[in-house]
Coordinates of all heavy atoms in Angstrom, one line a residue:
E158 N -12.3 8.7 -6.5 CA -13.2 9.8 -6.5 C -14.5 9.6 -5.6 O -15.4 10.4 -5.6 CB -13.5 10.2 -7.9 CG -12.2 10.6 -8.7 CD -12.7 11.1 -10.2 OE1 -13.8 10.9 -10.6 OE2 -11.7 11.4 -11.0
N159 N -14.6 8.4 -5.2 CA -15.7 8.1 -4.3 C -15.8 9.0 -3.0 O -14.8 9.1 -2.3 CB -15.7 6.6 -3.8 CG -16.9 6.2 -3.0 OD1 -17.3 6.7 -2.1 ND2 -17.6 5.1 -3.7
P160 N -16.9 9.7 -2.8 CA -17.0 10.8 -1.8 C -16.9 10.2 -0.4 O -16.7 11.0 0.6 CB -18.2 11.6 -2.0 CG -19.1 10.5 -2.8 CD -18.1 9.8 -3.6
D161 N -17.1 8.8 -0.2 CA -17.2 8.2 1.1 C -15.8 7.6 1.5 O -15.8 7.0 2.5 CB -18.3 7.1 1.1 CG -19.6 7.7 0.7 OD1 -19.9 8.8 1.3 OD2 -20.4 7.2 0.0
T162 N -14.8 7.9 0.8 CA -13.5 7.2 1.0 C -12.4 8.3 1.1 O -12.7 9.5 0.8 CB -13.0 6.4 -0.1 OG1 -12.9 7.1 -1.3 CG2 -14.0 5.2 -0.3
I163 N -11.4 8.0 1.8 CA -10.3 8.8 1.9 C -9.0 8.2 1.1 O -8.8 6.9 1.2 CB -9.6 9.1 3.4 CG1 -10.7 9.7 4.2 CG2 -8.5 9.9 3.3 CD1 -10.5 9.6 5.7
S164 N -8.5 8.9 0.2 CA -7.5 8.4 -0.7 C -6.1 8.9 -0.5 O -5.9 10.1 -0.4 CB -8.0 8.7 -2.3 OG -6.9 8.2 -3.2
I165 N -5.1 8.0 -0.3 CA -3.8 8.2 0.0 C -2.9 7.6 -1.0 O -2.9 6.4 -1.1 CB -3.3 7.8 1.3 CG1 -4.3 8.6 2.4 CG2 -1.8 8.3 1.6 CD1 -4.0 8.2 3.9
A166 N -2.3 8.2 -1.9 CA -1.7 7.6 -3.2 C -0.5 8.5 -3.7 O -0.4 9.6 -3.3 CB -2.6 7.3 -4.2
V167 N 0.3 7.8 -4.5 CA 1.3 8.5 -5.3 C 0.5 9.4 -6.3 O -0.6 9.0 -6.8 CB 2.2 7.6 -5.9 CG1 1.7 6.8 -7.0 CG2 3.6 8.3 -6.3
D168 N 1.2 10.4 -6.8 CA 0.5 11.2 -7.8 C 0.9 10.6 -9.2 O 2.0 10.9 -9.8 CB 1.2 12.8 -7.8 CG 0.5 13.7 -8.8 OD1 -0.1 13.2 -9.8 OD2 0.5 14.8 -8.5
D169 N 0.0 9.8 -9.6 CA 0.3 9.0 -10.9 C 0.5 9.8 -12.2 O 1.4 9.6 -12.9 CB -0.9 8.1 -11.2 CG -1.0 6.9 -10.4 OD1 0.1 6.4 -9.9 OD2 -2.1 6.3 -10.2
E170 N -0.1 11.1 -12.2 CA 0.0 12.0 -13.4 C 1.4 12.4 -13.4 O 2.1 12.6 -14.4 CB -1.1 12.9 -13.4 CG -2.4 12.3 -13.7 CD -3.6 13.3 -13.6 OE1 -3.5 14.3 -12.8 OE2 -4.5 13.1 -14.4
A171 N 1.8 12.9 -12.2 CA 3.2 13.6 -12.1 C 4.3 12.5 -12.3 O 5.3 12.7 -13.0 CB 3.3 14.2 -10.8
A172 N 4.0 11.3 -11.7 CA 5.0 10.2 -11.8 C 5.2 9.8 -13.3 O 6.3 9.7 -13.8 CB 4.6 9.1 -10.9
T173 N 3.9 9.6 -13.9 CA 4.1 9.1 -15.3 C 4.6 10.2 -16.3 O 5.2 9.9 -17.3 CB 2.6 8.7 -15.7 OG1 2.1 7.7 -14.8 CG2 2.6 8.1 -17.2
S174 N 4.3 11.5 -16.0 CA 5.0 12.6 -16.8 C 6.4 12.5 -16.6 O 7.2 12.7 -17.7 CB 4.5 13.8 -16.1 OG 3.1 14.2 -16.5
E175 N 6.9 12.2 -15.4 CA 8.5 12.1 -15.3 C 8.9 10.9 -16.1 O 10.0 11.0 -16.8 CB 8.7 12.0 -13.8 CG 10.4 12.0 -13.6 CD 10.6 12.0 -12.1 OE1 9.8 12.2 -11.3 OE2 11.9 11.7 -11.8
I176 N 8.3 9.7 -16.0 CA 8.7 8.5 -16.8 C 8.6 9.0 -18.3 O 9.6 8.6 -19.0 CB 7.8 7.4 -16.5 CG1 8.0 7.0 -15.1 CG2 7.9 6.3 -17.4 CD1 7.0 6.0 -14.4
T177 N 7.6 9.5 -18.7 CA 7.3 9.8 -20.1 C 8.5 10.7 -20.6 O 9.1 10.5 -21.8 CB 6.0 10.4 -20.5 OG1 4.9 9.6 -19.9 CG2 5.7 10.6 -21.9
Q178 N 8.8 11.8 -19.9 CA 9.9 12.6 -20.4 C 11.2 11.9 -20.4 O 12.0 12.1 -21.4 CB 10.0 13.8 -19.3 CG 11.1 14.8 -19.7 CD 11.1 16.0 -18.7 OE1 10.4 16.2 -17.7 NE2 12.1 16.8 -18.8
Y179 N 11.4 11.0 -19.4 CA 12.6 10.2 -19.5 C 12.8 9.4 -20.7 O 13.7 9.2 -21.4 CB 12.7 9.2 -18.3 CG 14.0 8.5 -18.1 CD1 15.2 8.9 -17.8 CD2 13.8 7.0 -18.5 CE1 16.3 7.9 -17.6 CE2 14.9 6.2 -18.5 CZ 16.3 6.7 -18.1 OH 17.3 5.9 -18.1
V180 N 11.7 8.6 -21.1 CA 11.5 7.8 -22.3 C 11.9 8.5 -23.5 O 12.7 8.1 -24.3 CB 10.2 7.1 -22.3 CG1 10.2 6.2 -23.6 CG2 10.2 6.1 -21.2
M181 N 11.3 9.8 -23.5 CA 11.5 10.7 -24.7 C 12.9 11.0 -25.0 O 13.6 11.0 -25.9 CB 10.6 11.8 -24.8 CG 9.0 11.4 -25.0 SD 8.0 12.8 -24.9 CE 6.5 12.1 -25.3
E182 N 13.4 11.6 -23.7 CA 14.9 12.1 -23.7 C 15.9 11.1 -24.1 O 16.9 11.4 -24.7 CB 15.1 12.7 -22.3 CG 14.5 14.0 -22.1 CD 14.5 14.6 -20.8 OE1 15.2 13.9 -19.9 OE2 14.1 15.8 -20.5
R183 N 15.5 9.9 -23.8 CA 16.6 8.7 -24.2 C 16.5 8.2 -25.5 O 17.1 7.4 -26.0 CB 16.3 7.6 -23.0 CG 16.6 7.8 -21.7 CD 18.2 8.1 -21.5 NE 19.0 7.0 -21.7 CZ 19.5 6.2 -20.7 NH1 19.1 6.6 -19.5 NH2 20.3 5.2 -21.1
G184 N 15.4 9.0 -26.3 CA 15.5 8.6 -27.8 C 14.6 7.4 -28.0 O 14.6 7.0 -29.2
Y185 N 13.8 6.9 -27.2 CA 13.0 5.7 -27.5 C 11.8 6.2 -28.5 O 11.3 7.3 -28.2 CB 12.4 5.1 -26.3 CG 13.6 4.4 -25.5 CD1 13.9 5.0 -24.2 CD2 14.2 3.2 -25.9 CE1 15.0 4.3 -23.6 CE2 15.2 2.6 -25.1 CZ 15.6 3.1 -24.0 OH 16.6 2.5 -23.3
E186 N 11.5 5.4 -29.5 CA 10.5 5.9 -30.4 C 9.3 5.0 -30.6 O 8.3 5.4 -31.1 CB 11.2 6.1 -31.7 CG 12.3 7.0 -31.9 CD 13.1 7.0 -33.2 OE1 12.8 6.1 -34.0 OE2 13.7 8.0 -33.4
R187 N 9.3 3.6 -30.0 CA 8.3 2.7 -30.2 C 7.9 2.1 -28.9 O 8.3 0.9 -28.7 CB 8.7 1.7 -31.4 CG 9.1 2.2 -32.7 CD 9.5 1.1 -33.7 NE 10.4 0.1 -33.2 CZ 11.8 0.3 -33.2 NH1 12.3 1.4 -33.6 NH2 12.6 -0.7 -32.7
P188 N 7.3 2.9 -28.1 CA 7.0 2.1 -26.8 C 5.8 1.2 -26.8 O 4.9 1.5 -27.7 CB 6.7 3.4 -25.9 CG 6.1 4.4 -26.9 CD 7.0 4.1 -28.2
L189 N 5.8 0.2 -26.0 CA 4.7 -0.6 -25.8 C 4.4 -0.4 -24.4 O 5.2 -0.6 -23.4 CB 4.9 -2.0 -26.1 CG 3.9 -3.1 -25.4 CD1 2.6 -3.0 -26.3 CD2 4.4 -4.4 -25.6
Y190 N 3.0 -0.1 -23.9 CA 2.6 0.0 -22.6 C 2.0 -1.3 -22.1 O 1.0 -1.6 -22.7 CB 1.7 1.3 -22.4 CG 1.6 1.6 -21.0 CD1 2.5 2.7 -20.4 CD2 0.7 1.0 -20.0 CE1 2.4 3.0 -19.1 CE2 0.8 1.4 -18.6 CZ 1.6 2.3 -18.1 OH 1.6 2.7 -16.8
L191 N 2.5 -1.8 -21.0 CA 1.9 -2.9 -20.4 C 1.2 -2.7 -19.3 O 1.8 -2.2 -18.1 CB 2.9 -4.0 -20.2 CG 2.6 -5.4 -19.5 CD1 1.4 -6.0 -20.5 CD2 3.7 -6.2 -19.3
A192 N -0.1 -2.8 -19.1 CA -1.1 -2.3 -17.9 C -1.5 -3.5 -17.3 O -1.6 -4.6 -17.8 CB -2.0 -1.4 -18.5
G193 N -2.0 -3.3 -16.1 CA -2.7 -4.3 -15.2 C -4.2 -4.1 -15.5 O -4.7 -3.5 -16.4
P194 N -4.9 -4.7 -14.5 CA -6.4 -4.8 -14.6 C -7.0 -3.4 -14.6 O -6.5 -2.5 -13.8 CB -6.9 -5.7 -13.4 CG -5.7 -5.5 -12.5 CD -4.5 -5.4 -13.2
R195 N -8.1 -3.0 -15.2 CA -8.8 -1.8 -15.2 C -9.7 -1.9 -14.0 O -10.6 -2.8 -14.0 CB -9.5 -1.6 -16.5 CG -8.6 -1.4 -17.8 CD -7.7 -0.3 -17.6 NE -6.4 -0.7 -17.0 CZ -5.5 0.2 -16.6 NH1 -5.7 1.5 -16.7 NH2 -4.3 -0.3 -16.1
T196 N -9.8 -0.9 -13.3 CA -10.9 -0.7 -12.1 C -11.6 0.4 -12.3 O -11.2 1.5 -12.9 CB -10.1 -0.8 -10.7 OG1 -9.1 0.1 -10.8 CG2 -9.4 -2.0 -10.5
V197 N -12.9 0.5 -11.7 CA -13.9 1.5 -11.9 C -13.6 2.7 -11.0 O -13.5 3.9 -11.4 CB -15.3 1.0 -11.8 CG1 -16.2 2.1 -12.0 CG2 -15.6 -0.1 -12.8
S198 N -13.4 2.5 -9.7 CA -13.3 3.4 -8.7 C -11.9 3.8 -8.2 O -11.3 4.7 -8.6 CB -14.3 3.2 -7.5 OG -14.1 4.2 -6.5
A199 N -11.3 2.8 -7.4 CA -9.9 2.9 -7.0 C -9.0 2.4 -8.0 O -8.8 1.3 -8.3 CB -9.8 2.0 -5.7
H200 N -8.5 3.4 -8.8 CA -7.7 3.0 -9.9 C -6.4 3.8 -10.1 O -6.2 4.7 -9.3 CB -8.5 3.2 -11.2 CG -9.0 4.8 -11.5 ND1 -10.1 5.3 -10.9 CD2 -8.3 5.8 -12.2 CE1 -10.1 6.6 -11.1 NE2 -9.2 6.9 -12.0
L201 N -5.5 3.4 -11.0 CA -4.2 4.2 -11.4 C -4.5 4.8 -12.6 O -5.5 4.6 -13.4 CB -3.2 3.0 -11.6 CG -3.0 2.1 -10.5 CD1 -1.8 1.0 -11.0 CD2 -2.5 2.6 -9.2
K202 N -3.8 5.9 -12.7 CA -3.9 6.7 -13.9 C -2.7 6.9 -14.8 O -2.5 7.7 -15.4 CB -4.2 8.2 -13.5 CG -5.6 8.4 -12.6 CD -5.7 9.8 -12.2 CE -7.1 10.0 -11.4 NZ -7.3 11.2 -11.0

Side-chain angles (χ1 to χ4, degrees):
E158 296 177 359
N159 188 296
D161 300 319
T162 66
I163 299 167
S164 175
I165 300 171
V167 71
D168 188 330
D169 279 334
E170 293 176 328
T173 304
S174 294
E175 186 174 349
I176 290 171
T177 306
Q178 182 179 356
Y179 176 83
V180 171
M181 291 178 178
E182 289 177 350
R183 295 296 292 260
Y185 295 107
E186 299 176 345
R187 302 183 309 280
L189 167 68
Y190 197 93
L191 180 58
R195 299 296 89 193
T196 52
V197 179
S198 178
H200 62 280
L201 305 177
K202 298 179 180 178

